[in-house]
Amino acid sequence: MIDHIFGRPSPSWKRTQVSFVLIFWIWRLVYGREVPPRLFWLRKMNRALARFSPWQIIVGTLTAMYASQNLDKFLGLGAPEPLADLYSPSYYRATWIATGLDAGFATAMAIRPKWLRDICAILFSAYYIIYANEADEKVRKFRAAPTVEFLRTTWEKTSNPYIRLFSWLPKMTIRRVIQIPRPSSSTYTRPITVHLFFAPHASKLAESTELILDIPGGGFVSMTPEHHEERLCAWAEKTGRPVLSLDYGKAPEYPYPYAVDEVFDAYQVLVDTAGAVIGMSGRGLEIIASGDSAGAHILTCVIIKILESKGLNLKLPLALVLNYPALDFNFTSWMSKDHLKVLRAEDTSATLKDFTVGGRSDDWDSPVAKGSNSPRRLRLRRSTPSLKGLNDGVMTAPQRTMGFTPLEVESKPSCSGRALPGPKTLSGNKSSVTTTDRGGKLPTKGEGGVQTDLDSPENTTVAHIRFSETGSGDPFDDQDENHRASIGRGRVTMTSRTGYFQDRIIPPSMMRAMAILYLSNRNPDFSTDYQVSPIIAPSEVLARFPRVLMQCGEKDPFVDDTIIFAGRLRESKRARLRELSTKMERGECSEPEGEEWARLNAESEEDWVEMALFPEWSHGYLQMGRLMKEATAVIVDIGVWIGEVFEGSKATGSPQSNHSHKSHIGGDSIPSDAGGEADSGIGSPSLLPSSTSAASSGNSSASHQQQQLLKTITEGELLRRRRLLGV
């Protein structure tokens, strides 16, 4: 209160206030009279309490204090819970524990020496895990003005010796830190530090020709491969291949572009020596590169640098695995027109009546959808049709709502009896889907302008309005069809960074701090500098990217980066294929272009880019394997996918996938139709493929129970949940 009176919030003022209060009451207890002063009814209360024992008085006082602090909850006067419907139960539990640990480690951050700090961090964390609200408040204050020390302390907590004591990792025959030299063409002299993980017998390393190269995340400022060991060891064990993770220079000591240059140098050394620099065979090296968060950003920038480097002729990786990548430093509130073009469908005349459950829409060709020319694709069981008209902002009568945007309608399982796969479905909670009845009947208008299904208790809908917009009036007033069909065009859409600004893992204040630290010596033009924001890379560069697997949580602040980048990759490769096809028809293709045309023409869009969006998850789930079993299943499934890409490359001489299989994620797939094609369009699923090889089948059987935990949503469903409805 003192700091409020003086108008200067300060920890020192708070410390002074607490000191004065404690001194006064301790003095009063020691030197004061045993009876209270003659004030109001204090003496009568004192005599009434004399019949209770001191223990009863203490317990009663604490109980009364607890009741008074929570009185608003009993009376219904408490503030709404903003995270009530944001995350799945398992992810929310994981963030609760992570927040408690963050609060405990941040509290102990200033303690010296280190051995005492490590002990206190664990003790404080136990307290804050129990008192979760206090943990939220403490972490909120630290994150409001984050420092490098805070970021590194809270994100690198798995290096605490007492946490590591209770951590189990698969047994590795080789787990060592290596320093490799820079290539002769590099302008840097500092050696590159890498961590090597290998599960088979150590002698097998010298025979290895396949490598998993990992670029760990950490917001550009923290975290080494040591803090990602859980997934790195899992991949080494699952695939039987060596896993090499780079400990690149972190900001602010090593700002942009140091990390990109260091990873590029490491990749060049590995390719030039065919892995011999780390003890591999030295012949025919094949690499699959992975990265998460900031690491995925760095990896993407490195691929662009490889594609644009002249004279080096570096071989590209077989495939990339990008987990919740941060690909855009242009932290704006509204999506740009170019990005909206990627998200919008080319056909905007459809209405809800054009779609049925599991129906096809072969005329659909959105860049964020699967193409209709794929020889085989899987259909995800779902209770909602492909709502292609909604993603262009076109509004139809049943969509008309109350002047707020966007509107999410949550319902219990649909009348069709087939609910959208996801953690909510698994746990029996409500699924965020718009449902229809068995006959495809459109939802009807309910009271208050909220669209509802049948008037059944099992299909009661609740509207959750996330963002408001100017405009008023009766939302159901009569308008002509032309006006109704045009009002959605050109409207603005909020970015996921703004929409999920209350994220429990990476709020806007931390994004800002990391961006400032990383770009401290540079003032880029975010609208044109694709070396900083690879999401705006030229199409001719993206068309040459290797196969990409992208994964992200639906509620991740960076989910837009995943969707837009995946869409741009598909769009760029489609355009390149059309260009080469035209040249082939005219007989103008050179030999390299002919080879490129043959490769692109033989591949399906699933070979270009695959995407898995996990409903009700946010950022950093690969770090939560010890806290949520679904995250462990994701780690295992990525390892299976990597192994299958390597095996497919051996069998065909290219990383093209085998499509005659079932998906790991989302449970058993629905087989394609008789024509060999599955439904296309923005509602088509983006699933991880698997192989039918004997080795892969064994791996799949071993992890079958974990894979059943994995459920994804389609790009279309994610966009539908975040759609912008007209007024």
Side-chain angles (χ1 to χ4, degrees), residues 69-273:
Q69 291 173 352
N70 294 277
L71 185 62
D72 59 338
K73 297 178 179 62
F74 286 105
L75 300 179
L77 304 177
E81 176 52 60
L83 304 178
D85 299 314
L86 191 62
Y87 302 130
S88 68
S90 59
Y91 187 86
Y92 184 80
R93 283 192 295 267
T95 61
W96 157 55
I97 297 174
T99 302
L101 291 170
D102 287 350
F105 276 72
T107 303
M109 186 167 55
I111 297 177
R112 302 294 185 271
K114 183 181 181 303
W115 66 267
L116 182 60
R117 180 170 67 251
D118 290 338
I119 295 174
C120 291
I122 298 299
L123 296 177
F124 295 158
S125 297
Y127 169 82
Y128 282 114
I129 288 175
I130 297 173
Y131 296 96
N133 289 336
E134 294 186 23
D136 287 335
E137 181 64 15
K138 170 148 285 192
V139 170
R140 182 190 65 80
K141 291 181 178 179
F142 271 108
R143 288 177 174 175
T147 63
V148 176
E149 184 183 12
F150 167 74
L151 294 174
R152 291 176 177 172
T153 298
T154 54
W155 285 0
E156 297 178 355
K157 49 186 172 286
T158 53
S159 59
N160 183 288
Y162 302 102
I163 290 181
R164 294 184 68 85
L165 186 64
F166 294 98
S167 300
W168 179 87
L169 294 173
K171 184 179 179 181
M172 298 287 108
T173 58
I174 297 178
R175 182 186 294 170
R176 65 171 68 127
V177 179
I178 306 172
Q179 287 192 332
I180 61 177
R182 299 271 183 168
S184 58
S185 59
S186 177
T187 58
Y188 302 96
T189 58
R190 177 178 177 261
I192 303 170
T193 303
V194 297
H195 292 229
L196 178 63
F197 303 87
F198 193 60
H201 193 275
S203 62
K204 296 292 185 181
L205 180 63
E207 304 172 6
S208 300
T209 60
E210 297 168 340
L211 175 68
I212 301 172
L213 178 64
D214 182 75
I215 317 301
F220 305 102
V221 299
S222 67
M223 300 181 75
T224 69
E226 177 186 3
H227 306 100
H228 296 260
E229 282 186 336
E230 182 178 9
R231 79 163 188 274
L232 299 177
C233 291
W235 290 348
E237 180 188 46
K238 193 73 179 175
T239 65
R241 276 90 174 176
V243 177
L244 191 72
S245 186
L246 273 64
D247 186 6
Y248 54 88
K250 307 299 191 300
E253 294 86 355
Y254 300 96
Y256 176 87
Y258 186 90
V260 175
D261 293 341
E262 186 170 24
V263 175
F264 178 84
D265 287 348
Y267 185 84
Q268 183 179 346
V269 170
L270 289 168
V271 172
D272 289 345
T273 65

Side-chain angles (χ1 to χ4, degrees), residues 378-442:
L378 309 175
R379 287 187 291 183
L380 186 66
R381 287 172 291 182
R382 60 184 183 270
S383 61
T384 179
S386 301
L387 305 177
K388 63 182 181 182
L390 297 179
N391 295 294
D392 193 67
V394 177
M395 181 191 62
T396 56
Q399 303 164 3
R400 309 285 306 289
T401 56
M402 301 175 58
F404 294 92
T405 172
L407 178 69
E408 289 188 2
V409 179
E410 288 196 351
S411 69
K412 292 185 178 180
S414 68
C415 298
S416 64
R418 303 172 71 181
L420 179 74
K424 285 185 176 180
T425 302
L426 292 175
S427 60
N429 294 335
K430 297 178 180 180
S431 298
S432 296
V433 295
T434 305
T435 59
T436 61
D437 63 12
R438 299 180 192 272
K441 183 179 178 180
L442 292 174

Side-chain angles (χ1 to χ4, degrees), residues 512-569:
R512 181 180 65 247
M514 291 180 291
I516 292 173
L517 292 169
Y518 183 58
L519 302 174
S520 58
N521 64 343
R522 191 181 181 94
N523 186 24
D525 182 355
F526 293 114
S527 62
T528 60
D529 193 343
Y530 59 88
Q531 297 289 353
V532 171
S533 295
I535 198 170
I536 59 172
S539 295
E540 56 269 21
V541 174
L542 297 180
R544 298 161 59 196
F545 258 60
R547 180 179 183 179
V548 181
L549 167 64
M550 304 189 74
Q551 294 187 339
C552 193
E554 174 204 0
K555 303 301 178 66
D556 194 317
F558 297 125
V559 68
D560 283 353
D561 296 11
T562 295
I563 297 176
I564 293 170
F565 193 72
R568 291 211 61 218
L569 285 173

